[in-house]
Amino acid sequence: MKAKINGRDIEIPVTWGNITLLQHNKLKKANNDFEAIEILTGITQDELKILSHTSISLLTNSISFIYDEKELLSYTIPDEFLGKKIPDIKKESWGQKIILQRVVSNDDYSIEDVLSIYFQENKFNIDEIDSTKKRIFVAPYIISKLVCDNILSQLETILKTERENLNVSPTSEQVQAGIGSYDVLGVFCTIDALANGDILKHEEILKTDYNTIYLKMLKNKIDIQFERNYSKVMARKK
């Protein structure tokens, strides 16, 4: 909806689809209707003070939808976001999945934190995250949220599959020998193992698509289990 305030044209959002992600982030910190109106329309606090009660009521009624999120349920995830198809993150790099996992491990992560990993203009580059966030900020909030929820749902499925298929319990002998000491290194141990200890290949491993890395890790688990079983079989024959 358009209006003219103090001689200038003002765009007044009347649905969630008109609100950008940046505006939504600011709305969460708004303390009253005046602050919300300024965020959504650009009408300053000083300008609002000299408007008539009728104009204020019109503006307040126009943005009242922000207090009722039922409308959000009517939106569906699009096929594209920022000119890119919604990704199957298993086909994206393993490094991106690792970064996403680290991001969501923090309770205060944001929609833009998640989306900046998968919606860069070119191939993923950690140095492009901040510039990508600037592009995401001007995208519609509700679309950004739907796409973010989709990415997080994919990650949840991936992690569930990993827990079910990749976990290898250490033997009692390995525990006694101190295998837990490796825990402090986190995912570095997995990266190094996949690179066969060649640190120069770490970056190449991180750029490899997740599906390929998953299959390699699954094979490694099968190899470990086979070697354990084979050792037991041979031990019984002695």
Side-chain angles (χ1 to χ4, degrees), residues 160-168 214 217-218 221:
K160 181 175 182 291
T161 300
E162 288 182 354
R163 288 192 297 270
E164 293 173 349
N165 298 337
L166 297 182
N167 285 347
V168 178
Y214 171 79
M217 291 192 292
L218 181 60
K221 177 190 175 181

Side-chain angles (χ1 to χ4, degrees), residues 113-138:
D113 289 336
V114 172
L115 298 184
S116 61
I117 300 170
Y118 289 100
F119 289 93
Q120 297 186 7
E121 292 186 281
N122 302 301
K123 287 187 176 181
F124 176 76
N125 183 335
I126 196 166
D127 295 328
E128 297 297 321
I129 283 182
D130 287 341
S131 61
T132 302
K133 286 182 181 180
K134 292 178 181 179
R135 295 170 53 234
I136 294 169
F137 280 141
V138 298

Side-chain angles (χ1 to χ4, degrees), residues 146-207:
L146 288 171
V147 176
C148 178
D149 289 346
N150 177 274
I151 298 295
L152 295 178
S153 177
Q154 291 187 58
L155 177 64
E156 184 178 349
T157 299
I158 286 173
L159 296 180
K160 181 175 182 291
T161 300
E162 288 182 354
R163 288 192 297 270
E164 293 173 349
N165 298 337
L166 297 182
N167 285 347
V168 178
S169 299
T171 64
S172 57
E173 292 81 7
Q174 288 173 329
V175 172
Q176 291 174 22
I179 194 172
S181 301
Y182 287 102
D183 292 345
V184 69
L185 298 174
V187 74
F188 178 87
C189 288
T190 306
I191 298 170
D192 196 56
L194 291 169
N196 293 319
D198 186 348
I199 196 169
L200 298 179
K201 292 183 179 179
H202 282 201
E203 186 173 352
E204 181 181 344
I205 293 296
L206 291 170
K207 288 181 178 179

